Amino acid sequence: MIASQALVVFSGGQDSTTCLFWAKRAFEKVVAISFLYGQKHQKEVELARAIAQQADVELEVMDVSFIGSLSHNSLTDASIVMDAEKPAESYPNTFVPGRNLFFLSIAAVYARGKGIRHLVTGVSQTDFSGYPDCRDTFIRSLNVTLNLAMDEQFVIHTPLMWIDKAATWALADELGVLELIREQTLTCYNGIAGAGCGRCPACRLRREGLEKYLAVRAH
Ligand code: ZN
């Protein structure tokens, strides 16, 4: 095991791109893994490839499209209209059950094969939807489970866990990639890169965070 290597779970979105560059600062060598999980916007992976290339990071793209077909959700099923708001007593239909459980488990097995024990993921408990598999308790629990499952000493790093979108933009700026992330990442649920469609919940959250950060920076 080489302690200074990390594997980043990378989607080409704002959060995981920030994590990719965070990892490049924190570790000697960084590799990344992207998942095709049946998402409607496979353009995500093309953008991820382009960003990984600019970051000089080796990217593994893995087809796990069965994950999307296990449940009904609006990210993988084009016939479902996306929830604009979080329903009162459930999760929005953009929730893909088990996604981070599968992603991180697969990432850990892949990392093990490469002699890597540090895993990096862009999940955030501060995020608007409160997906259960983005919470700190889940990540800690899974970290223990992965270690027990493979008799390893994995460390899952979550640099964005306790920060909001404005602070994520601040981190991108500090890492010198604010413009790259503004222009090249895809967060929009309607599949439009950069500033996106401007209307979906992901675009609103991204824009509000950016405006908040830029206002703070101007002072
Ligand atoms: Zn959008």
Side-chain angles (χ1 to χ4, degrees):
M1 290 279 176
I2 300 165
S4 58
Q5 283 193 88
L7 175 69
V8 179
V9 177
F10 183 55
S11 71
Q14 178 190 353
D15 293 342
S16 66
T17 303
T18 306
C19 286
L20 186 76
F21 286 94
W22 176 88
K24 276 184 64 87
R25 186 177 66 177
F27 297 93
E28 277 169 40
K29 182 162 188 250
V30 174
V31 293
I33 188 166
S34 287
F35 295 104
L36 292 168
Y37 61 96
Q39 63 269 57
K40 283 183 279 188
H41 306 296
Q42 299 220 350
K43 193 165 72 182
E44 262 180 50
V45 174
E46 287 165 42
L47 293 166
R49 277 190 207 281
I51 295 166
Q53 201 168 14
Q54 289 169 71
D56 197 21
V57 165
E58 172 195 322
L59 175 68
E60 176 75 21
V61 177
M62 210 157 276
D63 188 343
V64 292
S65 40
F66 67 93
I67 293 171
S69 61
L70 290 172
S71 67
H72 293 288
N73 68 82
S74 63
L75 290 195
T76 60
D77 187 340
S79 69
I80 299 176
V81 177
M82 190 198 320
D83 285 333
E85 305 294 338
K86 184 184 183 305
E89 288 180 4
S90 64
Y91 295 102
N93 61 17
T94 49
F95 176 49
V96 182
R99 183 169 49 175
N100 285 328
L101 173 67
F102 286 120
F103 284 7
L104 285 164
S105 300
I106 294 166
V109 176
Y110 178 78
R112 184 178 182 278
K114 286 185 145 311
I116 298 173
R117 69 184 187 95
H118 293 277
L119 307 172
V120 182
T121 171
V123 296
S124 174
Q125 187 155 332
T126 321
D127 213 343
F128 71 122
S129 298
Y131 296 148
D133 60 351
C134 290
R135 292 181 195 145
D136 193 53
T137 46
F138 163 69
I139 297 294
R140 286 166 185 263
S141 162
L142 182 64
N143 200 150
V144 171
T145 298
L146 292 172
N147 289 349
L148 291 172
M150 288 176 265
D151 194 15
E152 293 289 349
Q153 295 295 316
F154 292 111
V155 182
I156 305 179
H157 299 265
T158 54
L160 311 182
M161 182 59 77
W162 305 109
I163 67 175
D164 65 6
K165 276 285 181 284
T168 303
W169 283 112
L171 178 58
D173 202 9
E174 186 193 319
L175 293 165
V177 289
L178 182 78
E179 291 309 317
L180 182 151
I181 289 176
R182 256 180 110 161
E183 289 159 18
Q184 298 186 36
T185 62
L186 191 157
T187 309
C188 175
Y189 285 146
N190 290 308
I192 301 165
C197 75
R199 299 182 312 277
C200 74
C203 279
R204 287 207 306 264
L205 190 74
R206 175 177 166 131
R207 188 186 59 235
E208 284 163 16
L210 181 60
E211 285 169 359
K212 188 174 154 196
Y213 170 61
L214 292 177
V216 169
R217 194 179 67 165
H219 286 95

